[in-house]
Amino acid sequence: MSETKPDATLDVRGLFCPIPIVKLSEAIKNYPTGTVLEVLATDPGTLTDIPAWAKTSGNQVLKTEREGTVIKFHVKKVK
Amino acid sequence: MSEEKKKVLIVCSKGTLDMAYPPFMIATTAAAMGWDVHLYFTFWGMDIVTKGKSDKLKLASVGNPSLPMPNILGMLPGMTAMATKMIKGKMKKSNMPSIPEMIKTAKDLGVKFHACTPTMQLTGLTKEDLIPEVDDLIGAATFVDLSKEATVTLFV
């Protein structure tokens, strides 16, 4: 199992729908294709929202992990 | 993705604080997901984009059985203001953006704002009475034309 190290982190802990998705879509614009962005969230809605956003926007969720109340995603910019 | 751009059209027909949120939540999210988003403000929904009202939308205390008090009290003076203050306090606590913030975010994401001309005629509003974020004034025919290739059309 190869572990991809994230290139940057986006912290949206304590923020609720729709802000995590809005911030993620804005943040990812600043990075080149292939960048892996780590997203830290606490809104349980992000568990399905971030994969749904990735699917529609053509990006990729590499990993979803829960650490207590924090949900950690690794999102790869594909396009 | 090679598929053509998806489009969502939302009719905003209500001017209360609670009914102003759902269109903006969907609009900002859909725009963040790369969709083309159009909001069509009509009837009381025009309050959302009217100067002096846009930032002062209220929660209805009358006919709102969801409030934690006997419904009959909703008609007492000051109850609308109280209910509005209560919900705004709760929203602030959970880091929920205000409606003016939602408008700004939506605009930054490229959401299009359309105002309904028949409503303006009815209420005597002019373009100058509306917030500058409104892109244009359109009637039902333009709306129908916009909706013909929309993936999703919602009425709120």
Side-chain angles (χ1 to χ4, degrees):
Chain A
M1 293 286 273
S2 65
E3 173 82 348
T4 320
K5 213 174 159 321
D7 302 296
T9 299
L10 174 71
D11 188 356
V12 289
R13 286 175 294 179
L15 300 172
F16 290 89
C17 166
I19 305 307
I21 294 297
V22 170
K23 290 212 185 266
L24 172 57
S25 72
E26 287 291 287
I28 209 151
K29 283 183 194 156
N30 302 321
Y31 299 102
T33 305
T35 300
V36 175
L37 192 61
E38 177 182 58
V39 184
L40 303 174
T42 47
D43 175 7
T46 55
L47 279 171
T48 50
D49 277 2
I50 289 181
W53 164 84
K55 197 175 151 209
T56 310
S57 61
N59 294 293
Q60 204 184 346
V61 178
L62 301 176
K63 190 170 89 170
T64 307
E65 218 174 68
R66 293 190 85 146
E67 280 172 21
T69 55
V70 179
I71 308 159
K72 196 160 93 179
F73 299 90
H74 280 184
V75 178
K76 189 178 180 184
K77 181 169 178 171
V78 178
K79 50 168 260 173
Chain B
M1 271 191 316
S2 59
E3 62 187 285
E4 69 186 82
K5 206 168 182 188
K6 297 220 160 89
K7 178 159 141 187
V8 57
L9 210 99
I10 309 172
V11 180
C12 310
S13 72
K14 308 280 196 302
T16 53
L17 186 66
D18 49 328
M19 294 307 272
Y21 272 96
F24 279 95
M25 295 228 168
I26 297 168
T28 50
T29 305
M33 291 168 89
W35 285 40
D36 206 6
V37 186
H38 295 262
L39 295 178
Y40 184 62
F41 299 93
T42 184
F43 272 79
W44 316 128
M46 286 288 280
D47 285 0
I48 303 171
V49 289
T50 303
K51 282 179 194 161
K53 286 186 176 172
S54 179
D55 54 345
K56 294 186 188 70
L57 301 177
K58 295 189 170 51
L59 188 73
S61 63
V62 176
N64 186 346
S66 300
L67 291 178
M69 63 179 190
N71 206 231
I72 186 103
L73 296 180
M75 61 184 279
L76 294 175
M79 276 304 186
T80 300
M82 203 190 86
T84 305
K85 203 174 161 193
M86 187 192 79
I87 194 81
K88 279 192 170 172
K90 282 192 173 177
M91 283 170 170
K92 203 165 188 168
K93 236 184 239 165
S94 60
N95 286 321
M96 210 161 143
S98 66
I99 288 296
E101 284 165 341
M102 282 297 236
I103 291 173
K104 192 187 173 297
T105 306
K107 206 65 206 174
D108 289 346
L109 289 165
V111 173
K112 294 278 185 303
F113 287 43
H114 309 285
C116 160
T117 47
T119 306
M120 295 178 73
Q121 198 150 7
L122 192 70
T123 53
L125 289 171
T126 64
K127 179 95 168 74
E128 283 65 48
D129 297 315
L130 306 179
I131 58 170
E133 285 83 356
V134 173
D135 292 280
D136 53 11
L137 314 176
I138 68 170
T142 317
F143 173 82
V144 171
D145 193 50
L146 275 172
S147 64
K148 76 171 189 270
E149 71 264 5
T151 324
V152 179
T153 306
L154 299 170
F155 189 96
V156 178

